[in-house]
Amino acid sequence: MTASLAPHSVENSLTKTSLEQLLVLLGKQKPSVTENNSIEFEHRRIVTGKTLYSSGESFENLYLVFSGFLKLSNIDAEGNERITDFPMKSDLLGIDGICEQHYHLQAVALTECNLIVIPFRKVVCALQETPTFEEYLYRAISRSLVREQSSKTLMNLLSAEARLARFLILLSERYEALGFSSTCYILRMTRQEIGSYLGMTIETVSRCLTALAQAALIKVEQRNITLLNKRALRTLQRLPLLHKNNGKDKISKLEKQIIV
Amino acid sequence: MTASLAPHSVENSLTKTSLEQLLVLLGKQKPSVTENNSIEFEHRRIVTGKTLYSSGESFENLYLVFSGFLKLSNIDAEGNERITDFPMKSDLLGIDGICEQHYHLQAVALTECNLIVIPFRKVVCALQETPTFEEYLYRAISRSLVREQSSKTLMNLLSAEARLARFLILLSERYEALGFSSTCYILRMTRQEIGSYLGMTIETVSRCLTALAQAALIKVEQRNITLLNKRALRTLQRLPLLHKNNGKDKISKLEKQIIV
DNA sequence: CGGATCGTTGATACTTGTCAAAGTACGTGG
DNA sequence: CCACGTACTTTGACAAGTATCAACGATCCG
């Protein structure tokens, strides 16, 4: 049972995208009739493992993910990688470059990627007579901020198990929003990368996955994840850190809650 | 020895701000001559403890902090507060409201505050012929995102001591950027609020402050903080979690590094 | 068939949360 | 002005969670 419905599959053929299509990806609901559709955006493809942009590089473009899966990370002075996000379809990349005209982070493809290129300066100037574009650009940027804040907020003070449960649920919701299966998907990143993102060691990631699987909340087959009990996962992700019981008790207690 | 130079002091008298002044606060370097200066922005004052906006409230304005000190937080379903930022002068508030037209977070004044009101929809439409405004607005929003990401990145996988050291250094840098003393300032928030922000308990905050003080890296007098050894603090904030020595060894080792 | 990267599992030690209690600042009302 | 209550802070003893270290298993690729 492979998660063949996961993103990064078809629709890799496009090489140009109209403004209207771009707005829909940015979150626009109903297609407008009168929109300026003469403007087209180039695409850029990168293969697995390649870098889209690096920290310090001068900022020129925003990128909207059309297909594929990436990681966004920070390399500190000692060379340690700290992952801040895993962008996927419809996510906007490169916002971190606007403020100082050079990118702060590094974006690397975890699968083959097809990205819509948005030349920022040109576009913002040229499209100011197209208010909807501006509006959705603002919204997309704001959404990134909200997501960062809420993930930051929730990562701390939650146990490793809770954070991992939350991570799996959030991934599931993102897949669902894109029209893919929300219960069965492929992790496109290594355990190491999950650990970097969630702020825990690779061993802890592994142990927590095992624990969740033993409690029959998920099924783990290498990077293939099946969510078996989303309700329990949701409950788990809200448990504050450190209850009086150990892991097994916690989960069996959870089981009871669910049966009731 | 009180930190009388800390922000939130003078300059509380203004009630209107020109576009040019606003751009300078947003980070503009050299004043332009030809800028449209006829536009003026209203101010809003709130007293200590009052709420500027709450989660869920419909979004209308961005606010630029002119003076004072606030906290930005998230109240979860169980009523726990999770603080995501402590905005101060020149910080932009309310960005979290753009994406869904209602605020996601709650903003509360920690001191008396004087805020410049930016009616978002009106202003973005009306000022699109003023490219510099747009540009600096984008920059400010991007800067918020970068700050969120980097703080998120650094909070995890660092020890409580390191996070607290980082917190104190970052505060110091923000005060310095505003022209205030970078070595002596007043914490405007409780230990509880620091703990919520850094993802640790109030007891841990207290113990770490004591430890840093005993190592003579800082001086603590209630909420009055003096940084005695910034170099050591900077070193400490980059130490990865969990070395083989205990806290005291860590600091004395640090001391040696510094003496050398 | 190696070699390398990735993932799992176990034993141990350290950090930090939890619980409990006492100390300090601050404002209100007598 | 002092007593008192409340909120804030500090400190200690203990327990729980997770990092570290080490070894092994699995998968992938040349």
Side-chain angles (χ1 to χ4, degrees), chain A residues 33-226:
Chain A
V33 197
T34 58
E35 204 63 68
N36 179 353
N37 258 331
S38 63
I39 305 169
E40 294 208 315
F41 294 87
E42 300 286 337
H43 281 228
R44 177 167 162 190
R45 291 159 160 287
I46 54 174
V47 301
T48 305
K50 287 294 172 192
T51 300
L52 176 62
Y53 59 78
S54 302
S55 168
E57 222 170 83
S58 89
F59 166 71
E60 288 178 16
N61 303 316
L62 295 177
Y63 298 93
L64 188 58
V65 183
F66 188 76
S67 70
F69 211 99
L70 303 94
K71 66 175 175 182
L72 209 56
S73 62
N74 215 330
I75 313 288
D76 67 19
E78 286 79 32
N80 305 310
E81 175 179 48
R82 299 288 170 79
I83 294 176
T84 66
D85 201 8
F86 293 111
M88 50 195 274
K89 183 171 179 177
S90 90
D91 287 328
L92 194 60
L93 280 164
I95 306 167
D96 53 291
I98 299 174
C99 60
E100 295 179 357
Q101 303 296 303
H102 61 79
Y103 297 106
H104 276 248
L105 303 173
Q106 178 191 60
V108 175
L110 295 180
T111 68
E112 213 183 322
C113 288
N114 186 347
L115 304 146
I116 305 173
V117 180
I118 305 176
F120 183 70
R121 189 165 284 279
K122 270 190 254 171
V123 162
V124 169
C125 293
L127 293 190
Q128 281 187 346
E129 68 267 20
T130 312
T132 42
F133 173 73
E134 287 256 281
E135 179 179 344
Y136 285 102
L137 190 54
Y138 275 118
R139 287 195 187 193
I141 295 178
S142 170
R143 195 180 314 124
S144 297
L145 183 76
V146 168
R147 193 194 289 164
E148 283 306 314
Q149 281 173 333
S150 70
S151 68
K152 183 177 96 173
T153 299
L154 288 159
M155 288 316 169
N156 283 317
L157 283 182
L158 287 183
S159 72
E161 225 169 57
R163 275 179 284 172
L164 193 60
R166 175 166 183 75
F167 175 70
L168 295 176
I169 287 284
L170 281 179
L171 262 187
S172 142
E173 287 171 353
R174 288 170 78 183
Y175 280 120
E176 191 168 24
L178 295 176
F180 299 109
S181 167
S182 68
T183 54
C184 182
Y185 53 82
I186 297 175
L187 296 173
R188 306 249 91 114
M189 69 292 284
T190 65
R191 304 287 193 262
Q192 176 67 59
E193 287 166 333
I194 296 175
S196 166
Y197 180 65
L198 295 178
M200 60 184 81
T201 60
I202 174 177
E203 294 95 329
T204 303
V205 173
S206 181
R207 273 188 260 267
C208 288
L209 279 175
T210 310
L212 292 178
Q214 279 176 358
L217 302 188
I218 62 175
K219 192 164 82 174
V220 182
E221 295 155 311
Q222 291 90 39
R223 299 202 186 167
N224 221 302
I225 298 288
T226 310

Side-chain angles (χ1 to χ4, degrees), chain B residues 225-255:
Chain B
I225 298 289
T226 311
L227 306 190
L228 300 174
N229 190 334
K230 268 197 250 187
R231 173 128 176 261
L233 283 174
R234 273 181 223 281
T235 309
L236 187 57
Q237 75 176 321
R238 340 192 92 260
L239 285 182
L241 187 52
L242 301 178
H243 273 284
K244 294 159 202 169
N245 36 25
N246 63 31
K248 283 162 202 164
D249 289 349
K250 202 191 293 177
I251 292 184
S252 63
K253 202 171 167 186
L254 204 66
E255 293 281 57

Side-chain angles (χ1 to χ4, degrees), chain A residues 234-246:
Chain A
R234 272 181 224 281
T235 308
L236 188 56
Q237 76 176 319
R238 335 193 97 258
L239 285 181
L241 186 54
L242 301 178
H243 273 284
K244 295 157 200 169
N245 35 24
N246 64 32

